[in-house]
């Protein structure tokens, strides 16, 4: 694949998809040492269409590797391990947790804490996406193909209660900074009721969602290396740098400094937005 500018590698989806689908982010990483890339928790479900080679996810507990042409990862609270030979290419589509219902008639809770092969959920969509993206020869044509396939997949399925939608949006817009008690107050529910309904829809509770979104914001700032950890901790709502370090280790399994130095994919892709699992 030919070199591309940053603008070539990122696109907003078709307007019909924008309410529940985030950016399309292309990545074409090569020339780094073979190893393991950490896929970190975030406030989005990650949907990846691989190009040329499948994406290989390693499970340290079972010592097994699964390969995916079209991957859909639910909300999760632990890092995943992506094995690579020094090169990876594909397009990542950042889903809100409402997208799987609208596109695949599957609630986010059914996808949580696992990585799925889309062929097992929606085989025709998976086959068409992978085929058309891999047949296209430019990033623009690949993005167009994704738009066309996903717009056709949109359907009016069963939607979560408006209070659930509002609670997620309140947490997301504040980057996890709005206390859960205030979220509950604003939608008119008790904190206990919010926790139960929220978890039943998304597979994680509102406090966990807030922690992940705060972490994701901090991770992006850390990747940019434009501010000190103490500044990032203050900006993202951590009590102090130690609090940031504890949360980072909990969700990433490593420290911020080791993450930057030990994952070459993060270093090479820093200026083009890193692959976010």
């Amino acid at each position: 694949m030919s070199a591309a500018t940053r603008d070539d590698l990122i696109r907003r989806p078709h307007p019909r998809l924008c309410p529940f689908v985030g950016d399309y982010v292309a990545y074409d990483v090569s020339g780094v040492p073979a190893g393991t890339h950490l896929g970190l928790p975030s406030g989005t479900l990650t949907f990846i269409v691989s190009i040329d080679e499948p994406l290989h996810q390693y499970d340290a507990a079972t010592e097994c590797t699964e390969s995916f042409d079209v991957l859909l990862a639910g909300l999760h609270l632990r890092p995943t391990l992506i094995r690579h030979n020094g090169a990876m290419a594909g397009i990542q589509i950042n889903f809100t947790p409402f997208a799987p219902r609208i596109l695949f008639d599957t609630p986010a809770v059914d996808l949580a804490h696992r990585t799925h092969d889309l062929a097992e959920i929606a085989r025709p969509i998976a086959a068409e996406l992978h085929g058309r993206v891999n047949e296209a020869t430019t990033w623009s044509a690949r993005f167009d193909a994704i738009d066309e396939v996903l717009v056709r997949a949109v359907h009016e399925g069963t939607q979560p209660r408006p209070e659930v939608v509002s609670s997620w949006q309140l947490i997301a817009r504040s980057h996890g900074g709005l206390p859960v008690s205030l979220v509950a107050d604003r939608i008119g529910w008790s904190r206990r009721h919010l926790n139960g309904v929220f978890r039943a829809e998304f597979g994680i509770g509102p406090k966990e969602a807030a922690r992940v979104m705060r972490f994701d914001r901090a991770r992006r700032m850390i990747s940019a290396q434009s501010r000190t950890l103490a500044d990032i901790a203050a900006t993202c709502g951590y009590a102090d740098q130690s609090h940031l370090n504890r949360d980072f280790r909990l969700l990433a399994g490593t420290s911020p400094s080791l993450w930057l130095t030990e994952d070459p994919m993060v270093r090479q892709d820093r200026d083009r937005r890193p692959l976010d699992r």
Side-chain angles (χ1 to χ4, degrees), residues 25-70:
V25 182
Y27 60 92
D28 182 9
V29 182
S30 61
V32 301
T36 301
H37 170 72
L38 283 183
L40 300 180
S42 74
T44 60
L45 284 74
T46 299
F47 183 36
I48 293 177
V49 183
S50 65
I51 296 175
D52 295 333
E53 293 293 327
L55 205 65
H56 305 292
Q57 182 171 306
Y58 176 70
D59 187 330
T62 63
E63 298 185 348
C64 293
T65 300
E66 290 185 271
S67 299
F68 302 91
D69 287 330
V70 185

Side-chain angles (χ1 to χ4, degrees), residues 37-42 44 46 48 55 57 71-74 76 78-82 92 114-115 274-277:
H37 170 72
L38 283 183
L40 300 180
S42 74
T44 60
T46 299
I48 293 177
L55 205 65
Q57 182 171 306
L71 171 156
L72 177 58
H76 57 110
R78 294 289 184 271
T80 56
L81 307 177
I82 307 299
Q92 175 177 308
R114 283 193 55 206
T115 300
L275 177 66
D276 301 325
R277 259 267 17 261

Side-chain angles (χ1 to χ4, degrees), residues 166 168-177 213:
S166 295
W168 180 273
Q169 291 173 341
L170 286 167
I171 295 170
R173 287 169 184 163
S174 69
H175 302 289
M213 292 180 198

Side-chain angles (χ1 to χ4, degrees), residues 172-204:
R173 287 169 184 163
S174 69
H175 302 289
L178 188 66
V180 174
S181 58
L182 291 182
V183 175
D185 287 345
R186 291 189 184 181
I187 65 170
W189 284 358
S190 70
R191 183 170 176 175
R192 181 176 180 181
H193 184 60
L194 170 62
N195 184 70
V197 178
F198 194 101
R199 190 177 297 276
E201 177 64 29
F202 303 122
I204 62 175

Side-chain angles (χ1 to χ4, degrees), residues 57-215:
Q57 182 171 306
Y58 176 70
D59 187 330
T62 63
E63 298 185 348
C64 293
T65 300
E66 290 185 271
S67 299
F68 302 91
D69 287 330
V70 185
L71 171 156
L72 177 58
L75 295 170
H76 57 110
L77 303 174
R78 294 289 184 271
T80 56
L81 307 177
I82 307 299
R83 288 280 176 86
H84 61 87
N85 62 4
M88 287 195 298
I91 296 176
Q92 175 177 308
I93 304 161
N94 295 309
F95 274 10
T96 74
F98 310 108
R101 275 193 183 274
I102 293 168
L103 296 171
F104 313 129
D105 201 24
T106 301
V109 66
D110 289 352
L111 306 172
H113 309 293
R114 283 193 55 206
T115 300
H116 305 261
D117 186 335
L118 186 66
E120 298 175 358
I121 299 168
R123 182 175 295 276
I125 296 174
E128 185 177 4
L129 276 172
H130 189 255
R132 292 187 61 180
V133 166
N134 277 269
E135 288 166 5
T137 57
T138 66
W139 291 114
S140 179
R142 294 178 184 116
F143 292 145
D144 287 343
I146 293 172
D147 265 348
E148 291 172 16
V149 175
L150 293 187
V151 166
R152 278 193 278 107
V154 172
H155 67 280
E156 297 298 328
T158 303
Q159 298 302 309
R161 295 176 61 172
E163 295 91 344
V164 177
V165 176
S166 295
S167 64
W168 180 273
Q169 291 173 341
L170 286 167
I171 295 170
R173 287 169 184 163
S174 69
H175 302 289
L178 188 66
V180 174
S181 58
L182 291 182
V183 175
D185 287 345
R186 291 189 184 181
I187 65 170
W189 284 358
S190 70
R191 183 170 176 175
R192 181 176 180 181
H193 184 60
L194 170 62
N195 184 70
V197 178
F198 194 101
R199 190 177 297 276
E201 177 64 29
F202 303 122
I204 62 175
K207 186 175 181 180
E208 294 166 327
R211 170 179 277 166
V212 165
M213 292 180 198
R214 184 172 59 234
F215 161 80

